[in-house]
Amino acid sequence: MTRDLGTVTLLAAQADGSVITGPAGSPPSTRLAPGATVGTALHGLEDVLGLGHDSTHLVVTDTTGGGITHHVAWCGLLPASWMPPDEHRAAPFGRVLAAMVPAARTRLRVAARTGLLGDQAAHLTNGLPPGAQPTKSERTAARFTWHTRMPTAEEDKTVHQVWGWLTDPHGRVLVVLDANDAPSLPGGRPEPGESLTETLAREAMEEAAARHGKPTVLGFQKVTEAGQTPYRQMRMAAPLLAIGPAAPDPDTGETYRRVLVPAAHANLLLGWGPEGDAQAAAVATAFPGRHGCALRHVPETGWLPQGVEKDVEVS
C-alpha cells in the first residue's frame, strides 16, 4: 500500500462568501503520494474546477506527525459568471467549518484569513500556529446558538458582552486583528452602570478608534460552556462614521490592525461557524454593498467615508 505524504486542498469563494465544496461536502482535496508534487496536485484540482493555473497560491502548510504535510491553496473570489462543475456545490463557509475536524477547520480558517488579507503564507504544526494556545471556546467546549430577536427581560440579565457589526457606506464591516491575527468585531463587556449601546461606543473607540451612528439590535448568541451558567452575547449593527489614528487599547495595551471587509465575506475572515454565516448575511442585507469594493486595510492615520480611496487623518 502506498503511503500518503499529505494532502492538497483548494479553497475558492464566491461573491456571496460561500465556498466551493466537492461531493464529500468539503473543499476539493487530493492526496499526495510519493513522487507527486504539490504543484501537480494543485493543477489537477484546478482542472477539475475549470480554473486557470495562475489563479491560486499556497497560503497554509501544516506539518503533522509521521512526515505528513497538509497544504491549502487560496483561489480567491471567483467571477460571478463562474459555475461549479457537476458534483460540486457552493456552501456557507461557517457550515463547512462546522462539519470538519478541528485541525482541518483551523487550516481552512487560516487559509481564508491569509488569502483575504494578502498576508504571507502561514506555517502550522499539528493544526496550530507557532506558540498558539487553545482559545477560550476550545477550552470550555463552548456551544453557540444564534437568535434573531431581542432578549427577554430575563435573558437580558445574562448579556455579558456586546459586539458591533460597524458597516461603512460601501457595505464593508470593520474587523480588528490582534498580534496573532485573531480576528474579531469591536466590542466587550459592559462596565457597571453602562448601557449596552454605551459599551459598544466605548469599546469601538478603545479597540479601533471608531465612531458609529445609532445601533440596532441584530440578535443575540447564547453561549453554553462546560460547568458554567449559560450567558448571552448581544450583536448590534450600526453605520460606521469614521476611524481615527491607530492607538493602544487601554485594556490590553495592544494596537490592533484594522480592516474593512465586505459584509458578505466577513465570515471568511472571522471563521465563526454557522452563527457567523447568519449574522454576516443579516448585515449584508441591511447594508448592501454599493460599489463591489474589496477588502481594505485601514491605514494607521485613519479613515473617513468621503475619503475612502485616500489615507486621511481623523481627529
Side-chain angles (χ1 to χ4, degrees):
M1 181 176 180
T2 302
R3 185 173 68 90
D4 293 328
L5 298 182
T7 62
V8 176
T9 298
L10 183 59
L11 182 58
Q14 295 193 300
D16 63 359
S18 60
V19 298
I20 306 306
T21 63
S26 56
S29 181
T30 187
R31 297 184 180 277
L32 275 178
T37 67
V38 174
T40 300
L42 182 56
H43 289 172
L45 293 174
E46 292 167 333
D47 290 341
V48 168
L49 294 183
L51 303 173
H53 293 172
D54 58 352
S55 60
T56 58
H57 61 281
L58 286 175
V59 289
V60 169
T61 301
D62 182 15
T63 303
T64 62
I68 304 297
T69 303
H70 301 282
H71 309 269
V72 183
W74 169 250
C75 187
L77 300 172
L78 298 169
S81 60
W82 183 87
M83 296 293 292
D86 291 344
E87 298 188 339
H88 289 76
R89 300 287 184 272
F93 186 54
R95 191 174 76 192
V96 172
L97 291 176
M100 306 192 81
V101 298
R105 187 182 307 146
T106 299
R107 287 194 288 272
L108 280 195
R109 279 178 173 149
V110 174
R113 186 187 316 159
T114 302
L116 281 173
L117 296 174
D119 289 347
Q120 293 184 342
H123 297 274
L124 312 181
T125 302
N126 293 319
L128 292 174
Q133 300 295 322
T135 65
K136 180 176 181 289
S137 297
E138 291 168 342
R139 295 195 307 270
T140 60
R143 300 192 308 276
F144 304 94
T145 307
W146 174 241
H147 300 269
T148 54
R149 60 176 174 81
M150 288 284 291
T152 66
E154 191 63 27
E155 291 170 335
D156 193 57
K157 298 176 183 177
T158 63
V159 174
H160 291 180
Q161 296 171 326
V162 56
W163 291 346
W165 290 83
L166 310 183
T167 310
D168 78 358
H170 297 279
R172 296 182 295 200
V173 174
L174 175 62
V175 174
V176 296
L177 299 110
D178 66 15
N180 296 315
D181 271 350
S184 184
L185 300 174
R189 295 178 65 91
E191 294 183 348
E194 194 174 54
S195 70
L196 295 180
T197 55
E198 290 170 337
T199 297
L200 179 58
R202 174 181 54 79
E203 291 284 357
M205 181 57 65
E206 290 179 352
E207 294 180 352
R211 292 190 290 109
H212 61 80
K214 183 178 180 180
T216 58
V217 174
L218 278 181
F220 66 89
Q221 192 164 256
K222 180 181 178 182
V223 185
T224 304
E225 298 177 333
Q228 301 292 325
T229 301
Y231 63 92
R232 289 160 179 81
Q233 300 169 330
M234 187 75 79
R235 294 288 192 270
M236 294 183 177
L240 179 62
L241 302 181
I243 304 174
D249 182 343
D251 287 337
T252 65
E254 185 173 351
T255 300
Y256 301 110
R257 182 155 59 133
R258 304 164 298 177
V259 297
L260 295 167
V261 60
H265 307 158
N267 204 36
L268 286 169
L269 191 59
L270 294 167
W272 278 355
E275 300 77 21
D277 291 335
Q279 294 172 47
V283 174
T285 300
F287 296 89
R290 299 178 189 171
H291 307 295
C293 290
L295 179 145
R296 173 180 170 83
H297 293 263
V298 177
E300 291 190 1
T301 51
W303 167 92
L304 281 173
Q306 62 267 34
V308 77
E309 299 305 332
K310 298 185 295 184
D311 295 349
V312 295
E313 185 167 342
V314 181
S315 59

